[in-house]
Amino acid sequence: MADEAPADGDKPAAEGSGEGEGAAQATKDPALDYRRAFNFPLLRHSDMNEEMRTEVMEMCVTAAEKHANNTENAAKMIKEAMDKRFGMAWHVVVGEGFAFDITHEAKCVLNMFFGGQISMLVWKCF
């Protein structure tokens, strides 16, 4: 009798099948899911030429990914790279929920979002 197949309604539980485990893990941390969904740069404003804008956006994305939990280090990394590549007097703000009113050199400002909530502002002063 031990070798009988289970009836249609009596499915044996599969041990270690992993069914449902991936869905449970995906919903554990909604902030992580939010960051994955918005893992692309979203340009809000820029007056830079296309080549410079592309390079600055790549610098910002790299810094945000490398310093995901420390916006101060991300801003420092971006500023140092900008000063080396495009000369001195660059300023960078990385964070959430800020407004700005700045005076900047022409063709030298970029404002973008990354990861959904992180805003990055890069500009050069006179």
Side-chain angles (χ1 to χ4, degrees):
M1 293 287 192
D3 292 344
E4 290 181 14
D8 289 345
D10 299 330
K11 290 185 179 179
E15 294 179 3
S17 66
E19 291 181 6
E21 290 177 13
Q25 288 177 350
T27 59
K28 278 186 180 179
D29 187 7
L32 185 61
D33 289 340
Y34 187 75
R35 279 190 230 128
R36 284 186 191 141
F38 294 102
N39 198 18
F40 58 90
L42 178 63
L43 183 64
R44 184 168 180 209
H45 172 75
S46 177
D47 66 353
M48 296 177 177
N49 63 45
E50 188 172 342
E51 181 182 323
M52 185 179 193
R53 180 176 56 235
T54 303
E55 194 168 338
V56 173
M57 288 178 71
E58 287 174 3
M59 285 181 200
C60 291
V61 168
T62 301
E65 288 174 344
K66 186 173 182 179
H67 301 288
N69 297 325
N70 192 337
T71 56
E72 185 177 344
N73 286 346
K76 184 184 270 188
M77 181 179 167
I78 296 166
K79 182 192 174 9
E80 289 172 357
M82 293 296 292
D83 284 345
K84 283 182 185 176
R85 177 70 174 97
F86 299 108
M88 300 300 281
W90 286 92
H91 300 274
V92 180
V93 177
V94 178
E96 299 177 13
F98 64 88
F100 62 92
D101 184 21
I102 59 172
T103 301
H104 61 85
E105 190 173 310
K107 307 263 185 210
C108 291
V109 67
L110 178 130
N111 185 19
M112 64 175 272
F113 291 98
F114 182 75
Q117 298 175 347
I118 303 294
S119 180
M120 299 176 186
L121 175 63
V122 180
W123 77 98
K124 186 173 185 177
C125 288
F126 298 107

